[in-house]
Amino acid sequence: MPIVSLENVSKRYPSPQRAGDQVTAVDDVTLHIEKGDVYGIIGYSGAGKSTLVRLINALEPATEGRITVDDVEVTALSERELRAVRTGIGMIFQQFNLFSAKTVRANIAYPLKLAGWSKADIDARVAELLSFVGLSDKARSYPEQLSGGQKQRVGIARALATRPAILLADEATSALDPETTHEVLALLKRVNEEQGVTIVVITHEMDVIQTIATKVAVMDRGRVIEQGDVFEVFSAP
Ligand code: ADP
Ligand code: ADP
């Protein structure tokens, strides 16, 4: 049973250039992500990757097709029900999106506060997460005092705080140098293997897919033009 499933999904936007015209950002995409996969989605800028992420995370409605996350059809939910689905999905970003005025521990505690956890439970969970990402000594630091790799580790800790089953990484290593990229990918691998979190990696970098993903979908102009095991998709014919 796939944990994320898209059946003939399309997303069209009104064209910003010409009134009445439409831009097809995602064009008839069908893909199935199995529980425990590290699933890569690769494509050039403008291929439709970010739109696909927003559809999976139910931040925007699909124009056509059917999307299910953890057996729940998100294309048929109310805003309130969607919030529950989003709690099951963690996200990390290229620019980390940390709160610059909050300490590392406050950043990580934030989703737990929103979810109504008690102070004692938050403290215990934050300590556990800091230890997992190797930043226990940075709890009181502010994001601007951290390196890029450290910021992304905070992002990962925050994304995992409420124990989501799925982690969406949207160009999460694109702002990092190659060495730091490999550190962050190694951490994501541990998240997948030790915590059983399904990871969806969106990137324009082939190297990232080959380092971490087991399955891949190649996007071009809104369409998935190839998908399958990384080894098969990228092996020479
Ligand atoms: P990628 O993440 O692969 O760079 P995007 O999903 O951002 O691709 O964009 C896919 C296409 O959809 C592009 O042509 C983009 O200009 C268009 N697009 C994305 N979001 C919008 C929007 N809100 N309004 C209009 N067009 C959009
Ligand atoms: P603020 O004062 O803005 O809440 P803090 O950095 O003082 O920012 O604390 C933010 C969150 O971190 C709080 O929700 C608190 O429960 C949690 N917290 C406080 N102390 C610790 C600690 N030693 N270890 C882990 N989490 C902590």
Side-chain angles (χ1 to χ4, degrees):
M1 198 61 199
I3 189 164
V4 176
S5 186
L6 283 80
E7 306 271 358
N8 305 109
V9 170
S10 296
K11 176 70 183 181
R12 285 183 282 277
Y13 294 107
S15 165
Q17 270 87 40
R18 275 185 54 179
D21 279 12
Q22 289 189 319
V23 179
T24 304
V26 168
D27 189 1
D28 197 21
V29 164
T30 295
L31 61 84
H32 304 284
I33 300 173
E34 301 293 331
K35 200 171 165 57
D37 276 350
V38 178
Y39 198 106
I41 297 174
I42 189 165
Y44 297 116
S45 174
K49 306 181 298 296
S50 305
T51 304
L52 202 66
V53 168
R54 291 197 298 273
L55 294 174
I56 293 172
N57 207 2
L59 293 170
E60 293 194 58
T63 313
E64 272 167 32
R66 189 163 171 272
I67 302 173
T68 59
V69 176
D70 229 349
D71 285 344
V72 178
E73 185 172 350
V74 299
T75 25
L77 297 183
S78 67
E79 190 52 34
R80 183 204 167 104
E81 292 166 316
L82 286 176
R83 243 173 281 141
V85 171
R86 285 183 207 125
T87 312
I89 304 179
M91 277 211 72
I92 55 173
F93 310 90
Q94 179 168 5
Q95 293 307 328
F96 321 117
N97 295 18
L98 301 178
F99 301 108
S100 56
K102 287 188 193 288
T103 62
V104 164
R105 75 175 178 216
N107 267 278
I108 300 171
Y110 184 77
L112 300 172
K113 277 189 174 175
L114 282 189
W117 287 38
S118 73
K119 174 152 173 50
D121 286 349
I122 290 176
D123 288 356
R125 181 66 178 145
V126 170
E128 181 179 54
L129 288 158
L130 283 170
S131 159
F132 180 74
V133 301
L135 289 176
S136 299
D137 57 335
K138 300 289 184 192
R140 291 170 178 280
S141 300
Y142 286 86
E144 67 184 15
Q145 299 171 302
L146 304 179
S147 69
Q150 289 171 334
K151 283 181 204 167
Q152 197 55 292
R153 277 145 68 193
V154 175
I156 291 168
R158 184 180 60 182
L160 294 177
T162 58
R163 303 185 193 279
I166 303 164
L167 179 64
L168 294 180
D170 189 0
E171 299 285 358
T173 56
S174 300
L176 304 174
D177 62 58
E179 196 181 325
T180 311
T181 292
H182 279 267
E183 265 173 45
V184 168
L185 294 179
L187 177 59
L188 291 177
K189 193 106 196 137
R190 281 178 54 215
V191 169
N192 174 250
E193 287 172 356
E194 296 174 22
Q195 311 200 3
V197 175
T198 303
I199 301 186
V200 184
V201 176
I202 287 82
T203 183
H204 65 281
E205 296 171 304
M206 179 84 97
D207 182 47
V208 167
I209 300 289
Q210 285 181 323
T211 303
I212 191 174
T214 49
K215 303 274 182 54
V216 66
V218 182
M219 288 194 78
D220 183 35
R221 282 163 283 180
R223 291 184 152 259
V224 169
I225 55 170
E226 252 190 295
Q227 60 180 310
D229 292 339
V230 169
F231 176 75
E232 289 168 12
V233 170
F234 292 146
S235 66

